[in-house]
Amino acid sequence: VDLYLFKHNLPAYDRATPKPAAPPKYPATKIGGRFYGDFTSKENENEGTGAKSSDSGVGIDIKRFYFTLTHEFNERWSTQFQSDIGDQGAKRYDVVGKKAYLQYKQSDALVLRAGSADTPWIPYMEGLYGMRYFEQTINDSLGYGTSADWGLHFLGKALGGKLDYQVSVVNGKGYSNPTRTESVDFEARLAVIPVEGLTFAVGGYSGKLGNGTKTADKALHTAQRLNAFAGYKTKAFGIGLEYFDSDNFKNVTTVAEDSADGFSAWAHVGLPKDWKVFARYDVANPSKDLNEKLELTYY
């Protein structure tokens, strides 16, 4: 009754009075940050010689800090800048620009980016993996690719999101080095999601990794990489298997040729209160031709 009387004591609403206009959607600016850090014990040891890496031990490691600024001019045009503060493994932290691109979005099926932006394979794998703060995915952690590069990037989704694809034409040296040479590199990915949560993906890379053909860093070989992934992921659990095979990714400028391959398997199970049990296991052969006994195991 009190509410009823109060309601009728209010002034009558004048239907002729226009409602306040909603604030315009564009332009819109978003600012964000992401931090990867840990307090861990790490042991990176050569089983043949017993030698340990300089970063083995116990301590705090600030792996990455990203500051991201995104500005949408309208529904078609936007731009993004992202700085990268990271541990370079030489007793210092470096600050570089990871992303700096202009984007045009015609539709979900056609998005164009010019500048330094996500490459086709590694960032997509990170999204499926979901545990980047533990460790990079296998191609990134072993140096057989980069997560962003300078170039032209064509990406999109089709068939209601069941196809996810990207093709990039890049300089080849990664986002921290915008050097141009006589040729460009190519990277592509195609993912099929037949049902929600189930993903099959293939990808490839080919190029000189930004090395010249007439200078001191003369490219003697072409770096090539093939990738494949299969996985299933829900809120309750997830499982994935990633495989790569590469030629001359570390030997573009050397006389000798070499190849590498490896796989990474991961799984997680959700528990109450936002907890997860997670496991990962990697095996790789980093030098199949020059040092065939060399094997890397990560878990």
Side-chain angles (χ1 to χ4, degrees), residues 123-142:
Y124 189 76
M125 287 297 104
E126 288 179 352
L128 297 171
Y129 171 52
M131 301 289 176
R132 166 65 180 82
Y133 42 85
F134 280 126
E135 183 61 75
Q136 301 152 293
T137 56
I138 187 169
N139 282 163
D140 200 8
S141 65
L142 297 184

Side-chain angles (χ1 to χ4, degrees), residues 238-249:
I239 186 171
L241 178 63
E242 179 182 356
Y243 172 79
F244 83 93
D245 185 278
S246 72
D247 292 321
N248 296 314
F249 235 88

Side-chain angles (χ1 to χ4, degrees), residues 10 18 33 58 83 127-128 134 154 163 173 220-221 237-238 240 243 259 263 267 281 297:
L10 291 174
V58 179
S83 63
L128 297 171
F134 280 126
F154 309 84
L163 286 182
K173 281 191 174 294
L220 302 178
H221 311 293
F237 74 96
Y243 172 79
S259 59
F263 73 87
Y281 182 78
T297 303

Side-chain angles (χ1 to χ4, degrees), residues 214-225:
K214 300 178 181 178
T215 60
D217 61 344
K218 183 177 181 181
L220 302 178
H221 311 293
T222 298
Q224 295 181 323
R225 191 188 76 231

Side-chain angles (χ1 to χ4, degrees), residues 45-63:
E45 180 180 347
N46 186 317
E47 292 183 350
T49 64
K52 295 183 179 181
S53 65
S54 60
D55 62 346
S56 294
V58 179
I60 294 175
D61 183 16
I62 309 302
K63 293 185 175 182

